[in-house]
Amino acid sequence: MDVRLIGALMIIGILALSGLYFGINHGSGVQSGDIPGVNTSGTTSSGNPDNAGTKATGHTTFQTTTSTTSTSTTSHRTGITLPVTTTTSPLTVTTTVNEITVAFIVSVPEYTPDGDYVYIAGDFNGWNPGDERYRLKKLPDGRWAINLTFPYGTVIEFKFTRGSWETVEKGPNEEEIPNRRFVFKEPGTYEFTVHNWRDYVESSKEHTITGDVRTFKRFIPQLNDTRRTWVYLPPDYNSSRKRYPVLYMFDGQNLFDSATAFLEEWGVDEALEKLYGEENFSIIVVGIDNGGDKRIDEYAPWVNEKYGRGGLGNATLEFIVENLKPFIDSQYRTDPEKTGIMGSSLGGLMALYAGFLYPDVFQYVGAMSPAFWFNPQIYDFVKNASKGPKRIYIDWGTAESQEIVSGAEKMVKILENRGYTEGVNLKVVIDEGGEHNEYYWGKRFPGAVLWLFG
């Protein structure tokens, strides 16, 4: 047989074998921005300042490394120093014109259940933590692998999960980690290490509830699901007979208790206890847990065509207005005429939407770091609404994504064109250096709630 023919057949065989292990599949196109529950700060953890992960160079075999060197790099935003290891590669990955294909190889904790799968979730798939298109393949040595193909220069932010945000990765000290970040510039194999899984370390968190905070579970007929609800009562609730304004808030599990928070709690309870002592300010806060993996769908009024997620926002608000609020008003001494709603990211989108959909119900609206980019239909909706809430608070941080900043700025102009006036019925706060996470939302909460209800 011709030697050249034999050589060609051998190359085809090697490529076929590589395909079996890594299944090159995933499409291109990135929509950066933020989805709550996911930090958009990002960090870099590679010797190449654009690439998170360890670059491996070499050829053909799936065997592990032959040499190792160590260095470190510091995140531009977080200041965290991360170790970087460079090794020889177990695989060669090629590129086509204007597209880069890379292989991600992921090491996971030894305690990872044998029957579980590993996924990659990021801004390229709407932060879907259990997207079957992005399920990694398990290698014989226990590591996990996936090939990704995107146009040259594409930037993605991502995390690894075991199929849900309850099983998202955590750092070596059981801490939350910033989003991983990768720039598609150079084909090759990049290695990552998952140090811990959330569901295995969260139980060690201490509860941090302050004051009178109660919880109960309630069925949501509009979503055919049961959800936990939190109720914070002010310090003078049991010693007075007065009625209190009520603030409904999204992402209830992130508001009061570090043991249940995704990243860290807002500290709403501590903030309100302090405001009562210093300002004699008191309100009732009702926090509704998000639906975990369903959060994106339940916190978006319209379906996002790119990601195919969203569209259940109206059902969520219908539950609050028709089921939860009447129950709260019947069980607690509320002032039904003084009701507000507040949220961050997609929760901020929902809060503003609620204020213009139900202006007679929600007179006070707080939209923190609102993710208007996910449902741009919100702009025309607000423009054309016949009536709006009495007061609107809106904020963002300068270190947030461009989608968040530009979207909020656009909405402020729309509100001003509707007649809202800064300092009268509109409050705009720009947090210098503020990032997209619970720490900054909690920091801004006292000023927001004082202005809305003060």
Side-chain angles (χ1 to χ4, degrees):
M1 183 178 293
D2 190 292
V3 174
R4 289 173 297 179
L5 178 58
I6 294 174
L9 291 173
M10 290 177 65
I11 292 172
I12 293 172
I14 290 171
L15 292 175
L17 180 59
S18 300
L20 288 174
Y21 274 100
F22 293 98
I24 297 174
N25 48 359
H26 310 109
S28 62
V30 173
Q31 172 70 58
S32 62
D34 76 302
I35 298 292
V38 179
N39 178 9
T40 59
S41 300
T43 188
T44 300
S45 58
S46 168
N48 178 344
D50 287 331
N51 294 319
T54 301
K55 174 68 185 298
T57 58
H59 299 283
T60 64
T61 177
F62 288 104
Q63 300 301 315
T64 53
T65 64
T66 60
S67 64
T68 301
T69 59
S70 294
T71 181
S72 65
T73 184
T74 301
S75 164
H76 298 298
R77 292 186 181 174
T78 64
I80 299 172
T81 300
L82 301 170
V84 177
T85 303
T86 303
T87 65
T88 59
S89 173
L91 177 66
T92 295
V93 182
T94 59
T95 182
T96 58
V97 177
N98 296 325
E99 286 194 335
I100 300 293
T101 296
V102 300
F104 284 2
I105 298 181
V106 184
S107 298
V108 299
E110 292 184 358
Y111 60 74
T112 303
D114 290 338
D116 284 11
Y117 293 102
V118 176
Y119 299 81
I120 181 172
D123 51 10
F124 49 85
N125 73 334
W127 292 102
N128 182 349
D131 192 336
E132 290 298 318
R133 298 172 301 163
Y134 292 90
R135 188 175 81 184
L136 281 67
K137 295 181 182 294
K138 193 171 186 179
L139 302 179
D141 63 5
R143 296 183 299 171
W144 294 77
I146 190 171
N147 271 26
L148 298 173
T149 301
F150 284 89
Y152 178 86
T154 294
V155 181
I156 65 171
E157 293 191 358
F158 61 96
K159 286 186 176 181
F160 297 107
T161 80
R162 296 194 340 271
S164 71
W165 291 119
E166 284 67 37
T167 57
V168 70
E169 62 174 316
K170 284 200 169 186
N173 298 315
E174 303 182 359
E175 76 278 15
E176 295 294 340
I177 61 174
N179 297 342
R180 297 181 185 267
R181 182 175 181 272
F182 187 88
V183 181
F184 285 78
K185 287 187 176 180
E186 185 178 353
T189 300
Y190 296 82
E191 298 179 10
F192 301 84
T193 297
V194 171
H195 295 281
N196 284 295
W197 298 114
R198 180 187 183 194
D199 54 325
Y200 277 83
V201 301
E202 187 177 75
S203 59
S204 63
K205 283 187 175 181
E206 293 184 3
H207 291 282
T208 58
I209 294 175
T210 301
D212 189 350
V213 179
R214 310 173 183 186
T215 64
F216 60 87
K217 290 187 177 181
R218 192 169 182 85
F219 180 69
I220 304 177
Q222 293 85 351
L223 299 173
N224 193 32
D225 197 4
T226 299
R227 204 65 52 79
R228 177 176 54 188
T229 299
W230 308 66
V231 179
Y232 166 85
L233 299 177
D236 61 344
Y237 184 84
N238 293 319
S239 60
S240 74
R241 299 185 63 82
K242 67 180 181 180
R243 293 187 171 274
Y244 298 85
V246 180
L247 176 63
Y248 289 85
M249 296 187 70
F250 298 100
D251 298 308
Q253 59 263 65
N254 297 334
L255 303 177
F256 305 103
D257 193 356
S258 290
T260 62
F262 178 74
L263 293 173
E264 59 180 296
E265 64 157 309
W266 285 43
V268 167
D269 44 349
E270 289 86 357
L272 291 176
E273 294 284 301
K274 185 177 181 181
L275 286 177
Y276 176 78
E278 296 178 352
E279 305 283 345
N280 195 30
F281 176 84
S282 53
I283 62 170
I284 294 173
V285 173
V286 179
I288 307 101
D289 277 8
N290 66 54
D293 299 345
K294 306 172 186 175
R295 181 183 188 279
I296 299 174
D297 298 312
E298 296 174 358
Y299 283 11
W302 298 274
V303 174
N304 180 290
E305 294 184 2
K306 179 179 179 63
Y307 299 121
R309 303 291 303 275
L312 295 180
N314 285 299
T316 299
L317 293 177
E318 185 178 312
F319 162 70
I320 296 174
V321 172
E322 298 184 5
N323 300 87
L324 183 58
K325 186 177 184 299
F327 174 77
I328 294 296
D329 290 339
S330 69
Q331 296 296 311
Y332 301 97
R333 296 195 313 275
T334 67
D335 184 343
E337 301 304 315
K338 294 182 179 180
T339 303
I341 190 165
M342 179 181 289
S344 61
S345 198
L346 283 180
L349 163 69
M350 284 286 287
L352 192 72
Y353 178 70
F356 283 91
L357 184 66
Y358 298 104
D360 294 326
V361 176
F362 302 113
Q363 301 95 349
Y364 309 98
V365 168
M368 293 189 173
S369 305
F372 296 138
W373 68 267
F374 193 76
N375 273 172
Q377 299 93 330
I378 187 67
Y379 301 120
D380 284 339
F381 178 80
V382 171
K383 284 180 183 177
N384 299 323
S386 58
K387 186 178 179 182
K390 292 180 180 178
R391 283 192 167 194
I392 298 174
Y393 170 96
I394 185 169
D395 71 20
W396 62 89
T398 58
E400 298 192 54
S401 69
Q402 183 58 38
E403 285 81 4
I404 293 293
V405 174
S406 61
E409 291 174 340
K410 180 176 180 178
M411 182 57 73
V412 169
K413 292 180 181 179
I414 292 172
L415 293 172
E416 290 174 342
N417 289 336
R418 279 191 61 102
Y420 284 90
T421 304
E422 171 74 24
V424 178
N425 52 7
L426 175 66
K427 179 73 170 179
V428 179
V429 173
I430 302 173
D431 187 0
E432 185 65 33
E435 298 178 3
H436 195 85
N437 59 50
E438 284 77 8
Y439 168 78
Y440 289 96
W441 300 326
K443 185 185 76 169
R444 300 195 294 263
F445 173 77
V449 75
L450 270 178
W451 186 82
L452 286 172
F453 293 95

